[in-house]
Amino acid sequence: MDTTSFQRLPQSIQQVVLDGLDNEVQAGLEKLDTAKKNGSLTSEQTAALEGDIRRAAELRNRFSPA
């Protein structure tokens, strides 16, 4: 994925995006942890949530400064 367009954004905007992705990953991990303790998700829902967390983390890593 080419991130040059992202890198040209003002630093403050880049930080907002990175913070948002960090928050999304953290919230997903917390939801996953709670759901596993309660047993409130099906295996399909758990897999979907894990996929969402993984994709947000991967995107966050692509946008991180080198």
Side-chain angles (χ1 to χ4, degrees), residues 35-52:
K36 283 184 176 181
K37 288 178 184 174
N38 297 337
S40 60
L41 294 179
T42 65
S43 60
E44 292 84 13
Q45 291 170 319
T46 300
L49 183 55
E50 288 171 341
D52 291 345

Side-chain angles (χ1 to χ4, degrees), residues 4 6 12 19-22 24 27-28 30 32 35-36 41-42 48-51 54 56-57 64-66:
T4 54
F6 179 76
S12 60
D19 290 347
L21 289 168
D22 287 339
E24 186 173 336
E30 290 171 6
L32 184 62
K36 283 184 176 181
L41 294 179
T42 65
L49 183 55
E50 288 171 341
R54 185 175 43 258
S64 294

